[in-house]
Amino acid sequence: MNRDSLTVATPAGTVHATAGLRRGDAVVFELGGAMRGSVHVTGTHHPQHWDRFTAVRACLGPVNAYQTTAPDDALPRLARGSSGYRGSLRLHTDVVGRPEVSVYPMETAAGHEPSPKTAATLTAVLRACAEHVMQREDLPAILTASRERDTPALLRFLDWSVTHHQAEAARLEAEARAAHPARRAAVAAWWTVARWFTASPHPVLLVMLADYPGSLSRHVSVMQWLAPYCLTAASREHDQARRAETEAAGLRNQQIRQRRRGLTDSERVRNDLTRR
């Protein structure tokens, strides 16, 4: 299975992609036919769940583009072209098992957007390589290795995310509390002007009571919805913080289980050596 070859029909012609030996969490495909170069495929997390490594990412070039940048002369190119191309694609399944693809921007080494025909060719090759890896027998090992590789950086991000969302929630709650006295003051001011107008009608007072941007009446309207809006937004921030905490806990638990599994494997090897 390590030398599987794919034949991919593309707008630029037939592309042949041959999978090399797996390198830890990655499979590198060498391209031939209508394209030259390589595609690097690795595991990655589900787009909605940072702690669930159930997707694969295919990158143009011999390396993981999310960790390092391939030299310009190592980027894949069309057989009849001179421009190397960067870009990536993520493949995962939805809740009912249907494949979903996210294509990230394609560009030349010089930063130019490829033609629609070239973009379709690059996408077709990336998708074919990603789909192949999704069907490999060693996919669980690829995903596990990818999770171990990405967990430290993801934990840093999730810990930052918890702090950020909690701080935003606190700010919004403070703004909601401040909005209540501001609303009462605005309503009181409006009624004061209304009483002045009733006692002595004047065009200036009528303008002060009218509803237009920046007016006293518009300020009252804003103050009436500001506190509920801030509280709703604060609730969303709390939800985001809790979700980040849960995902971070999930990653840490997987780390612990993997370490225990590693210790168990080491103990088994030592026991086997002792018996011998």
Side-chain angles (χ1 to χ4, degrees):
M1 187 160 196
N2 291 327
R3 297 296 297 176
D4 283 346
S5 295
L6 311 177
T7 299
V8 188
T10 78
T14 301
V15 176
H16 304 288
T18 303
L21 293 173
R22 177 165 63 88
R23 308 177 199 166
D25 71 326
V27 178
V28 177
F29 293 81
E30 294 302 325
L31 306 178
M35 279 187 68
R36 298 287 187 271
S38 56
V39 169
H40 183 284
V41 184
T42 186
T44 189
H45 60 83
H46 189 280
Q48 278 82 47
H49 303 282
W50 296 91
D51 59 334
R52 301 181 190 176
F53 276 69
T54 57
V56 297
R57 177 185 292 122
C59 300
L60 292 170
V63 299
N64 185 347
Y66 279 71
Q67 284 189 306
T68 186
T69 301
D72 291 352
D73 58 2
L75 295 174
R77 59 200 68 221
L78 299 181
R80 297 181 180 179
S82 58
S83 297
Y85 292 95
R86 292 190 175 92
S88 64
L89 174 149
R90 178 168 54 192
L91 173 66
H92 69 279
T93 55
D94 62 15
V95 293
V96 296
R98 293 174 302 193
E100 290 193 355
V101 172
S102 300
V103 180
Y104 296 88
M106 307 281 186
E107 64 179 17
T108 67
H112 302 302
E113 184 177 349
S115 69
K117 178 180 177 180
T118 299
T121 297
L122 300 175
T123 300
V125 171
L126 287 174
R127 177 160 187 167
C129 293
E131 288 175 342
H132 171 79
V133 172
M134 269 292 201
Q135 300 300 318
R136 286 175 63 115
E137 294 177 358
D138 57 353
L139 176 64
I142 293 172
L143 296 176
T144 296
S146 298
R147 189 190 69 240
E148 291 175 350
R149 178 202 68 209
D150 289 348
T151 289
L154 286 175
L155 286 175
R156 288 192 296 271
F157 165 74
L158 290 169
D159 289 341
W160 169 87
S161 184
V162 170
T163 301
H164 170 75
H165 288 300
Q166 288 175 339
E168 277 296 291
R171 181 187 66 79
L172 289 162
E173 288 166 346
E175 192 170 345
R177 289 192 297 272
H180 290 299
R183 178 184 59 81
R184 289 193 294 269
V187 170
W190 190 92
W191 278 110
T192 297
V193 174
R195 286 193 293 270
W196 290 346
F197 181 78
T198 301
S200 180
H202 193 280
V204 173
L205 297 177
L206 185 60
V207 169
M208 293 177 67
L209 295 172
D211 183 13
Y212 60 90
S215 70
L216 184 58
S217 181
R218 184 65 58 87
H219 182 57
V220 170
S221 298
V222 170
M223 289 297 103
Q224 285 177 332
W225 64 256
L226 182 58
Y229 169 82
C230 288
L231 291 175
T232 300
S235 178
R236 288 196 297 267
E237 294 293 335
H238 281 303
D239 288 342
Q240 292 285 353
R242 284 191 290 269
R243 177 175 177 178
E245 286 178 329
T246 299
E247 292 176 335
L251 284 172
R252 290 191 172 96
N253 288 336
Q254 291 176 83
Q255 269 187 326
I256 293 170
R257 288 196 295 271
Q258 190 64 33
R259 287 170 186 159
R260 288 175 178 169
R261 191 176 300 117
L263 289 173
T264 302
D265 292 342
S266 298
E267 291 168 356
R268 187 180 301 112
V269 171
R270 285 198 298 270
N271 290 338
D272 290 343
L273 292 174
T274 300
R275 293 191 190 99
R276 293 173 188 172

